[in-house]
């Protein structure tokens, strides 16, 4: 339920209000792998919209670490790193 609530808030332009719902669904259990990938992508996107680039990068890195073959997460993370002028392959 938290995942769907987060998505609705994002679609309504209520990104700041969506963050706790994204976080809640990611810490809970019962999410399918598809919904979990969507929640990680959604939270990363929400952080980006709010100008929280470090959080966006961290969230998307987490998503790629959990789902390395997910093309959406891999593609979406690239623009997030630009404000930091960092490489995804650089040591962390």
């Amino acid at each position: 339920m938290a995942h769907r609530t987060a998505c609705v808030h994002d679609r309504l332009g209520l990104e700041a209000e969506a963050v706790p719902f994204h976080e809640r669904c990611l810490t809970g259990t019962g999410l399918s792998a598809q919904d979990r990938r969507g929640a990680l992508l959604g939270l990363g996107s929400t952080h980006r919209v709010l100008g929280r680039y470090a959080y966006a990068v961290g969230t998307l890195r987490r998503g790629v670490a959990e789902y390395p073959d997910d093309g959406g997460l891999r593609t979406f993370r690239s623009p997030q790193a630009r404000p930091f002028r960092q490489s995804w392959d650089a040591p962390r």
Side-chain angles (χ1 to χ4, degrees):
M1 182 60 102
H3 177 61
R4 295 193 198 297
T5 303
C7 292
V8 168
H9 278 77
D10 281 335
R11 287 188 186 117
L12 292 173
L14 303 170
E15 286 84 1
E17 290 85 353
V19 171
F21 293 105
H22 281 298
E23 291 172 343
R24 187 176 310 139
C25 75
L26 288 168
T27 58
T29 58
L31 255 155
S32 70
Q34 181 177 352
D35 283 345
R36 184 164 178 81
R37 284 192 303 263
L40 287 162
L41 185 62
L43 180 57
S45 173
T46 298
H47 282 311
R48 179 190 55 83
V49 167
L50 294 171
R52 300 173 183 167
Y53 298 111
Y55 287 108
V57 168
T59 301
L60 294 168
R61 275 191 176 147
R62 178 177 160 197
V64 170
E66 290 184 33
Y67 303 98
D69 296 327
D70 187 278
L73 285 166
R74 295 184 70 81
T75 299
F76 196 78
R77 74 175 182 176
S78 297
Q80 307 315 312
R82 266 192 218 119
F84 302 106
R85 302 201 188 280
Q86 64 185 0
S87 168
W88 285 94
D89 299 321
R92 299 175 212 353

